[in-house]
Amino acid sequence: KAGVTQTPRYLIKTRGQQVTLSCSPISGHRSVSWYQQTPGQGLQFLFEYFSETQRNKGNFPGRFSGRQFSNSRSEMNVSTLELGDSALYLCASSRLAGGKTGELFFGEGSRLTVL
Amino acid sequence: GIQVEQSPPDLILQEGANSTLRCNFSDSVNNLQWFHQNPWGQLINLFYIPSGTKQNGRLSATTVATERYSLLYISSSQTTDSGVYFCAVTGGSEKLVFGKGTKLTVNP
């Protein structure tokens, strides 16, 4: 079965712009979570959505937002981009929500460069 | 929140050697996974192992939840094993927390 699909894979933006990233989970998975990976901070949790509701949120400013649609696909948006937002953004899907989800499966990521 | 420490941070091996990677965590966990990050950035699942022992080919993992650590064993390493290995846990906050990873280099 198809894995987690993230689009776009690469993108370049300038400071002040906004960006929207998309994640399609594995069929049947209802939980989608997002992570930011940078060389300095490592992998950090952004937020988790389950059945169109945000269940959990990491320590990121309000410029980072997300949503989930009825088909479980999720988008995350970053507004007013800063240079420090340059990162690999990873999406993961799982069958259930929260800490007892069992296994998480990751997409290939969206690599964002902010100039 | 829960803290995750991985050791060693870097490991260089010759092909054919064995290795052990360690993951310590500061609180009880509901979920623990080991991942291998490939050169393109994707996190590949190795093990979902909140407790007990599992084996998959040349790789095996053991988690001792009561002592708050997990070990990943790689036997007869190959150059394709190179990359960064991450341990990630979920505790009471239900947020997945990653360690900083172990960068493994296997030389031919």
Side-chain angles (χ1 to χ4, degrees):
Chain A
K1 68 186 178 183
V4 179
T5 304
Q6 291 189 244
T7 57
R9 293 289 314 282
Y10 302 92
L11 65 168
I12 299 173
K13 294 284 187 180
T14 57
R15 279 181 296 176
Q17 287 187 309
Q18 73 166 17
V19 66
T20 298
L21 309 177
S22 178
C23 173
S24 292
I26 291 170
S27 177
H29 284 195
R30 296 169 63 190
S31 171
V32 173
S33 50
W34 290 90
Y35 304 83
Q36 181 197 64
Q37 185 176 26
T38 60
Q41 299 298 317
L43 279 152
Q44 295 185 283
F45 171 82
L46 279 158
F47 25 65
E48 180 195 6
Y49 287 87
F50 182 81
S51 294
E52 303 177 66
T53 301
Q54 187 180 88
R55 287 197 75 256
N56 221 331
K57 190 176 190 310
N59 297 324
F60 280 82
R63 300 185 297 108
F64 291 81
S65 63
R67 58 178 175 168
Q68 187 179 34
F69 302 96
S70 58
N71 62 357
S72 294
R73 188 178 71 86
S74 177
E75 290 181 347
M76 68 162 282
N77 183 274
V78 188
S79 62
T80 319
L81 284 166
E82 301 176 358
L83 295 178
D85 297 333
S86 294
L88 178 66
Y89 290 88
L90 291 161
C91 161
S93 81
S94 58
R95 198 167 52 84
L96 301 174
K100 298 178 182 176
T101 60
E103 215 166 351
L104 275 76
F105 297 87
F106 281 82
E108 294 179 294
S110 294
R111 192 171 293 276
L112 170 66
T113 300
V114 181
L115 302 176
Chain B
I2 196 165
Q3 305 294 316
V4 180
E5 291 186 4
Q6 290 187 244
S7 60
D10 293 279
L11 186 57
I12 300 175
L13 301 173
Q14 288 300 120
E15 206 167 22
N18 302 328
S19 60
T20 301
L21 283 58
R22 187 177 180 101
C23 171
N24 292 333
F25 40 96
S26 60
D27 205 345
S28 59
V29 298
N30 300 317
N31 185 355
L32 188 148
Q33 285 187 247
W34 283 96
F35 298 94
H36 177 211
Q37 189 165 40
N38 68 21
W40 298 271
Q42 186 174 12
L43 290 169
I44 307 298
N45 292 39
L46 296 176
F47 294 102
Y48 167 67
I49 188 166
S51 64
T53 297
K54 290 186 177 180
Q55 180 157 7
N56 184 4
R58 296 182 295 104
L59 274 61
S60 64
T62 295
T63 298
V64 184
T66 53
E67 297 187 21
R68 299 182 183 166
Y69 73 89
S70 183
L71 302 174
L72 177 68
Y73 306 96
I74 304 174
S75 64
S76 304
S77 57
Q78 301 174 357
T79 56
T80 52
D81 294 331
S82 296
V84 184
Y85 290 80
F86 288 100
C87 166
V89 305
T90 307
S93 71
E94 298 189 344
K95 301 176 185 180
L96 192 66
V97 177
F98 284 85
K100 293 188 182 302
T102 292
K103 183 178 180 182
L104 175 64
T105 303
V106 181
N107 293 321

